[in-house]
Amino acid sequence: MKNKIKIYFIRHSKLDLPYENHLQMPYGILNDLATGQLDPSIVQNSNKLFLKAAAGLPLKNIDVIYFNNSNFQSKRSRDSAFLIGKVLKEKYNRKVPIFGNPYLKEIDFCLKDILSKEKFLKEKMPAVRTALYNALINKGPVEQIDHVFKRIEAVLKSLKKHQDKNQTVMLVSHDFYMRAVEVFFRKSKNFRNITVDDLEKTTLNTYFKGFSVSDDGKSFNRF
């Protein structure tokens, strides 16, 4: 019987910006984050945020960490990954290797292309999500769902080398990308079967939160 790779998808830490979270950010800041014009690092107390958010995880079992090294919205993923590595070293005296994978980047879109400022001011983040999901599925001016699924498949393929060693992998990524991963595992690996409603039903991944999956897709558990 082949070994199964245990995979943890985890969102990056809170950004080093004067806002409580993404839900509180103004239209212009969200647009600049989405397009990569703004690429901040993470807040200084991220180690405390991580330990609180990931309290129930078997952290001492993590064998390798990957982050988004695409140079597109990548600082928060990179800095979160190295912070996690530092915590594992300090807490468990384990030096875990950390690698970049550009396929872990956020979904590519420009907020101004899919949602007006007027509608945003009325409906806030729910309107952003719906606009992005509609554009993803209905050939709007964003990265398309078929391309996002190809990136997910590329990530999973790159992890096969950890199978023989029965290793546990942590992938530090972004919320919208992780929502696509969720429907990939929970609904269908065929992008043609994914609907806007499927994406609407996914769960918000708050900072340092996410889910675990097995590479065969037979297990999916949120943390």
Side-chain angles (χ1 to χ4, degrees):
M1 181 181 293
K2 288 185 177 180
N3 293 328
K4 295 179 182 178
I5 310 168
K6 189 65 176 261
I7 305 168
Y8 289 93
F9 279 91
I10 188 170
R11 190 182 180 186
H12 57 76
S13 182
K14 180 181 176 182
L15 307 190
D16 188 17
L17 291 173
Y19 309 102
E20 181 62 27
N21 52 49
H22 278 65
L23 301 178
Q24 305 300 320
M25 292 178 187
Y27 182 81
I29 294 296
L30 288 171
N31 181 75
D32 289 349
L33 287 171
T35 58
Q37 296 178 68
L38 187 62
D39 191 14
S41 183
I42 57 178
V43 292
Q44 291 185 355
N45 68 332
S46 288
N47 59 328
K48 293 182 180 179
L49 293 178
F50 172 69
L51 288 171
K52 181 179 180 180
L57 294 183
L59 297 178
K60 62 182 179 181
N61 295 334
I62 303 298
D63 297 301
V64 61
I65 301 171
Y66 285 88
F67 66 95
N68 160 24
N69 70 335
S70 68
N71 292 321
F72 178 74
Q73 306 185 31
S74 54
K75 286 183 181 177
R76 51 193 180 271
S77 174
R78 177 199 66 198
D79 295 348
S80 296
F82 279 91
L83 178 140
I84 293 170
K86 183 179 179 182
V87 169
L88 296 182
K89 175 63 177 176
E90 293 174 349
K91 192 173 179 65
Y92 301 108
N93 195 31
R94 297 185 67 240
K95 188 175 182 180
V96 176
I98 302 174
F99 303 104
N101 188 320
Y103 296 122
L104 291 171
K105 75 181 184 74
E106 181 59 292
I107 293 172
D108 190 1
F109 73 101
C110 173
L111 181 59
K112 292 180 180 179
D113 287 344
I114 61 173
L115 184 70
S116 70
K117 185 174 182 179
E118 290 73 22
K119 188 167 185 178
F120 171 80
L121 291 174
K122 290 179 181 178
E123 302 179 26
K124 300 297 184 178
M125 277 302 294
V128 175
R129 297 185 191 118
T130 297
L132 177 59
Y133 300 155
N134 273 291
L136 268 171
I137 300 299
N138 298 314
K139 301 187 183 304
V142 303
E143 181 182 13
Q144 293 297 288
I145 190 68
D146 60 332
H147 190 267
V148 178
F149 269 37
K150 286 179 181 178
R151 288 204 279 125
I152 296 169
E153 291 167 354
V155 168
L156 297 175
K157 184 178 180 180
S158 73
L159 300 181
K160 290 297 184 182
K161 57 181 171 287
H162 301 292
Q163 193 169 43
D164 290 342
K165 297 179 181 179
N166 199 27
Q167 291 184 312
T168 297
V169 179
M170 178 169 280
L171 308 174
V172 185
S173 190
H174 307 261
D175 180 52
F176 284 133
Y177 178 77
M178 289 170 61
R179 287 172 183 255
V181 174
E182 180 176 339
V183 295
F184 178 90
F185 279 107
R186 303 193 79 179
K187 172 66 184 290
S188 174
K189 294 179 174 60
N190 184 341
F191 72 90
R192 294 180 180 86
N193 296 331
I194 305 304
T195 67
V196 172
D197 189 56
D198 292 328
L199 290 165
E200 290 278 17
K201 290 178 179 177
T202 56
T203 301
L204 170 66
N205 301 285
T206 55
Y207 303 127
F208 285 132
K209 285 292 190 177
F211 47 82
S212 65
V213 296
S214 58
D215 60 323
D216 61 5
K218 293 182 178 179
S219 68
F220 183 101
N221 296 287
R222 301 204 66 85
F223 61 83

